[in-house]
Amino acid sequence: MEVKTKDLWVFIEVSEDGNAKNVGLELLNPGKYLAEKQGGKLVAIIVGYKLEKVVKEAIFYGAERVITIDSEEYGRYTTDAYTHAVYELVAKYSPSTMLIGATNQGRDMAPRLACRLKTGLTADCTALGYDEESGNIAWTRPAFGGNLMATIFCPNHRPQLGTVRPGVFKKIEKNEGNIAEVIKEDIRYDVRQLKVRIIEVLKEINDNNIELESAEVIVAGGRGIGGTEGFAPLKELADALGGVVGASRAAVDSGWIGHVHQVGQTGKTVGPKLYIACGISGAIQHTAGITGSDIIVAINKDPDAPIFRIADYGIIGDLKEIVPLLTKMIKENKV
Amino acid sequence: MNILVCIKQVPNTMEIKIDPIKNTLIRAGVPSIVNPFDAYALEVAARIKDSKPDTIITVLSMGPEQAKQALKECMAVGADKAFLVSDRAFGGADTLATSYTLAATIRKLEQEEGPFDVIFCGKQAIDGDTAQVGPEIAEHLGIPQITYAIEATMAEDEVIVKRETNEGFEVVAVKIPCLITVTKPQFEPRFPTIKSKLKANRTEIPVIACSDISVDVNLIGLKGSPTKVKKTFTPPQKKGGIIIAEATNLESTEKLYKLLNDANII
Ligand SMILES: Cc1cc2nc3c(=O)[nH]c(=O)nc-3n(C[C@H](O)[C@H](O)[C@H](O)COP(=O)(O)OP(=O)(O)OC[C@H]3O[C@@H](n4cnc5c(N)ncnc54)[C@H](O)[C@@H]3O)c2cc1C
Ligand SMILES: Nc1ncnc2c1ncn2[C@@H]1O[C@H](COP(=O)(O)O)[C@@H](O)[C@H]1O
């Protein structure tokens, strides 16, 4: 596609309650730096229905321009309508780069969009850079379950696209005084064309309503916690630290806690400041989701558990005693 | 029902080790397996066949000659037919070029085998971890996609799919033809029997070359790939952490608390 602008776009995903997903706002941060490097504007792209609130958020977190498609048929995400909408925008404005959050929705839409645009897409990036010499974005991402990192360029095609993991970047400080131009595009999609119909939505309640992906502290439980009731002491520890509860697949598959709490290759990828793994052995499918954590603490009674190989602090012992003790010490010393 | 499952042969990443001196990936001696998510996709297809015995399941892989082994493993657990699309011209393909090649192969197969009602892919391949090839095949073919499926059953001209979302699950109905990518379900793939294994091993797997399918040679392989790998490196290894194993759990916890507190982590 012919390059008309040097703009950098950030796709802001809208959650079901009508707020901006954190990852979109986070991406405005590297987006600002990269847009400057490219010599273009930082533009937020928002597709949905009743977007006033999200538009404000995008501006407060640094967008220099906002382009919206605000219409009823986008009230709920569908692959076909959203791909159509974003494709039409790209065709009209020809941005140079587009960043999309690597959520389930982002990773559903982005490949479809990239293929329609016949361009390159780098999946699930954990670092972004700008190559001065070539003017390309340097997309860095893990492969082989996190054993290998690759830096990827998309030299001859525009726009260059990438999905980026939630929690990798921090939001710019919010400034409610920011102002920016808002362009409303009228791109419609005839929902009668949709081949997919929703029969049932099974929402799982995540206490505290904190997204695991952007939590600063996660206390996660595995098979070693022994049952549903085993999560109560973990929740207390999480509360004491202002964090949320996560889980291994084994704990989720046993029905002890909802799938929304699952961390790992088939769960959420997290990047908290502190990850406390309780009774989790540390299988690669689990650790693939936690390598972005600043500090990993492991509590496990098996000294040979692989989790100790990646833990910054490993405590060998019975979590049933250790977790409540730790909670008590934290609470006592806070006051 | 006519079902296609796209499968990739991958190194078993659970057995990959890092050379501690050169800091590179040691791939020698690492066994090749059917990508686990593709094995789940095949199992989901096999369960449809269990309920509709006139279903035919075809498996397709793009890769080198040795990927025939992976296809044979699929034949032993439910696939009826297998095809390998293989050509040096396909080497170095990224997801766009791979999906383009697979889509062209699927069109060719459809001319011979009849149209596929459902195409299954794994959620992602565990070597590249991109999760892009499935949706890109769907786009090339102009059919709807459902990603992150954990169950699929047939109802008239629709597939009823339970899928994972960031907030939980949803059940959707999608019109055929469609493409479905499968993540880890609650069930495990079935095992082969000695008989099914022997039979699969005797099967001749047809190889489809570049000249057999209708593709623009500028859009395949390394040349047709918009993304280029600039460099690869192993992530910085964590220096061995601090292990705490005092005489009692209380002492251990006290030590952990002090360490975390001193380091300003809590
Ligand atoms: C395709 C695929 C995808 C997968 N995706 C994921 C994923 O996204 N996330 C994920 O987590 N897993 C995933 N898995 C599963 C993964 O391989 C492991 O099976 C799982 O992570 C194990 O969970 P666990 O550590 O809780 O259980 P286990 O491996 O059983 O470990 C339990 C641990 O608890 C310890 N323990 C027991 N009692 C105590 C006690 N009282 N005090 C202290 N320690 C105790 C034990 O020593 C043991 O180390 C996937 C697997 C496959 C094949
Ligand atoms: N070379 C290939 N041959 C057949 N299927 C493939 C190939 N590469 C990817 N796929 C399919 O696409 C899915 C996603 O792969 P990826 O986008 O590489 O993570 C896999 O689980 C397979 O079903």
Side-chain angles (χ1 to χ4, degrees):
Chain A
M1 187 167 281
E2 188 200 340
V3 187
K4 290 201 207 114
T5 75
K6 292 176 174 163
D7 289 353
L8 183 140
W9 284 12
V10 172
F11 182 79
I12 310 277
E13 184 178 331
V14 183
S15 67
E16 270 170 39
D17 54 11
N19 289 306
K21 279 236 169 174
N22 278 319
V23 61
L25 303 176
E26 289 160 16
L27 291 182
L28 291 168
N29 184 1
K32 192 167 194 114
Y33 166 82
L34 296 171
E36 259 165 42
K37 285 281 178 188
Q38 286 184 175
K41 266 196 152 64
L42 171 62
V43 184
I45 302 302
I46 314 173
V47 178
Y49 185 44
K50 299 193 174 151
L51 297 174
E52 293 77 17
K53 209 158 102 193
V54 182
V55 169
K56 276 201 192 120
E57 293 276 284
I59 296 170
F60 295 164
Y61 285 103
E64 295 166 344
R65 173 182 291 158
V66 179
I67 304 177
T68 64
I69 300 177
D70 194 336
S71 183
E72 204 177 343
E73 65 267 37
Y74 303 111
R76 218 196 134 75
Y77 172 77
T78 57
T79 312
D80 287 345
Y82 272 58
T83 306
H84 165 80
V86 181
Y87 175 83
E88 291 298 322
L89 287 183
V90 172
K92 177 165 178 183
Y93 293 92
S94 304
S96 166
T97 305
M98 184 161 180
L99 311 181
I100 300 167
T103 58
N104 282 24
Q105 177 184 316
R107 293 186 75 183
D108 183 86
M109 178 186 80
R112 194 94 202 192
L113 177 68
C115 188
R116 198 165 298 179
L117 292 162
K118 300 284 174 283
T119 190
L121 168 64
T122 307
D124 212 20
C125 298
T126 54
L128 301 171
Y130 181 78
D131 185 60
E132 300 277 354
E133 203 177 310
S134 63
N136 292 310
I137 303 291
W139 311 90
T140 298
R141 63 179 304 266
F144 289 92
N147 285 313
L148 189 75
M149 304 298 292
T151 300
I152 289 165
F153 282 11
C154 177
N156 305 317
H157 296 70
R158 290 293 180 270
Q160 46 193 338
L161 306 181
T163 57
V164 185
R165 279 192 186 173
V168 171
F169 296 97
K170 302 282 164 253
K171 289 180 224 170
I172 304 174
E173 201 160 330
K174 186 172 183 174
N175 182 350
E176 302 205 357
N178 286 353
I179 43 168
E181 175 192 13
V182 179
I183 302 172
K184 291 195 172 120
E185 284 292 343
D186 182 31
I187 294 167
R188 302 301 304 264
Y189 185 85
D190 181 355
V191 289
R192 282 170 305 184
Q193 296 177 64
L194 286 176
K195 302 284 194 308
V196 179
R197 125 184 109 76
I198 292 174
I199 297 178
E200 194 183 1
V201 177
L202 306 153
K203 255 190 139 168
E204 287 183 347
I205 312 298
N206 166 357
D207 349 305
N208 314 4
N209 208 13
I210 301 177
E211 288 176 29
L212 223 50
E213 293 95 323
S214 43
E216 299 219 327
V217 176
I218 296 174
V219 181
R223 204 189 320 260
I225 66 160
T228 310
E229 62 291 346
F231 275 104
L234 269 55
K235 173 92 172 51
E236 271 183 49
L237 177 57
D239 284 345
L241 292 165
V244 284
V245 169
S248 77
R249 171 136 205 152
V252 174
D253 282 353
S254 304
W256 300 344
I257 192 166
H259 157 74
V260 287
H261 294 271
Q262 186 181 314
V263 173
Q265 192 184 55
T266 49
K268 306 222 151 96
T269 306
V270 299
K273 291 199 174 119
L274 176 60
Y275 189 87
I276 307 183
C278 310
I280 293 177
S281 60
I284 182 175
Q285 294 93 351
H286 186 79
T287 57
I290 65 172
T291 43
S293 312
D294 292 346
I295 298 287
I296 297 172
V297 173
I299 307 174
N300 198 307
K301 63 180 182 192
D302 172 10
D304 296 324
I307 190 82
F308 287 125
R309 275 186 246 141
I310 62 154
D312 299 277
Y313 301 92
I315 170 162
I316 300 169
D318 191 340
L319 68 93
K320 297 207 165 74
E321 277 187 46
I322 295 166
V323 171
L325 281 170
L326 187 60
T327 310
K328 197 164 153 253
M329 288 174 202
I330 290 166
K331 277 189 181 158
E332 278 168 3
N333 287 282
K334 260 208 176 131
V335 281
Chain B
M1 284 286 295
N2 203 6
I3 297 179
L4 181 78
V5 186
C6 293
I7 67 125
K8 187 180 184 187
Q9 189 181 45
V10 294
N12 187 349
T13 53
M14 282 173 73
E15 297 196 16
I16 280 181
K17 304 239 152 43
I18 308 284
D19 182 326
I21 296 154
K22 282 187 276 176
N23 218 26
T24 50
L25 229 53
I26 310 175
R27 291 195 211 189
V30 176
S32 291
I33 54 170
V34 175
N35 179 40
F37 293 104
D38 305 352
Y40 294 129
L42 178 59
E43 177 60 27
V44 170
R47 284 172 179 234
I48 292 178
K49 184 172 168 135
D50 291 344
S51 67
K52 283 187 178 287
D54 61 342
T55 299
I56 294 176
I57 301 175
T58 303
V59 283
L60 169 65
S61 187
M62 169 175 143
E65 190 72 18
Q66 62 151 343
K68 281 184 176 173
Q69 187 50 42
L71 288 165
K72 287 182 176 174
E73 285 170 33
C74 296
M75 300 273 305
V77 287
D80 302 293
K81 297 179 183 178
F83 295 90
L84 176 69
V85 57
S86 187
D87 200 304
R88 299 203 45 172
F90 301 144
D94 73 353
T95 62
L96 188 67
T98 300
S99 59
Y100 173 69
T101 309
L102 284 168
T105 310
I106 291 167
R107 285 205 191 91
K108 177 198 155 64
L109 287 177
E110 289 191 322
Q111 282 168 12
E112 291 153 16
E113 313 284 319
F116 294 112
D117 300 305
V118 186
I119 298 171
F120 283 105
C121 285
K123 173 191 106 161
Q124 68 188 51
I126 59 165
D127 53 354
D129 284 335
T130 78
Q132 291 177 180
V133 169
E136 293 189 338
I137 293 174
E139 175 65 21
H140 283 297
L141 296 174
I143 57 175
Q145 75 192 40
I146 299 293
T147 48
Y148 302 99
I150 54 167
E151 273 171 39
T153 49
M154 289 305 302
E156 307 271 322
D157 64 339
E158 286 182 326
V159 195
I160 310 297
V161 184
K162 184 170 179 188
R163 67 185 293 268
E164 290 178 356
T165 65
N166 273 69
E167 290 80 28
F169 301 94
E170 63 188 22
V171 181
V172 299
V174 54
K175 288 241 156 44
I176 57 171
C178 61
L179 183 142
I180 298 172
T181 79
V182 177
T183 183
K184 190 180 192 304
Q186 291 285 348
F187 42 80
E188 288 299 314
R190 62 199 60 192
F191 289 108
T193 60
I194 292 174
K195 212 173 124 204
S196 72
K197 254 189 178 164
L198 285 173
K199 190 170 167 232
N201 274 332
R202 280 197 304 268
T203 317
E204 276 298 320
I205 304 217
V207 179
I208 299 165
C210 186
S211 55
D212 298 327
I213 55 177
S214 161
V215 283
D216 176 343
V217 290
N218 293 309
L219 301 178
I220 59 169
L222 189 63
K223 196 162 79 174
S225 298
T227 59
K228 312 282 177 204
V229 177
K230 221 35 205 178
K231 66 167 186 202
T232 60
F233 55 99
T234 51
Q237 294 295 302
K238 282 219 164 180
K239 290 180 243 64
I242 298 171
I243 296 291
I244 305 166
E246 304 300 301
T248 66
N249 284 328
L250 178 62
E251 286 166 72
S252 291
T253 313
E254 275 168 349
K255 188 166 169 195
L256 175 70
Y257 178 80
K258 191 170 176 336
L259 283 166
L260 293 178
N261 206 28
D262 290 351
N264 275 327
I265 298 163
I266 55 174

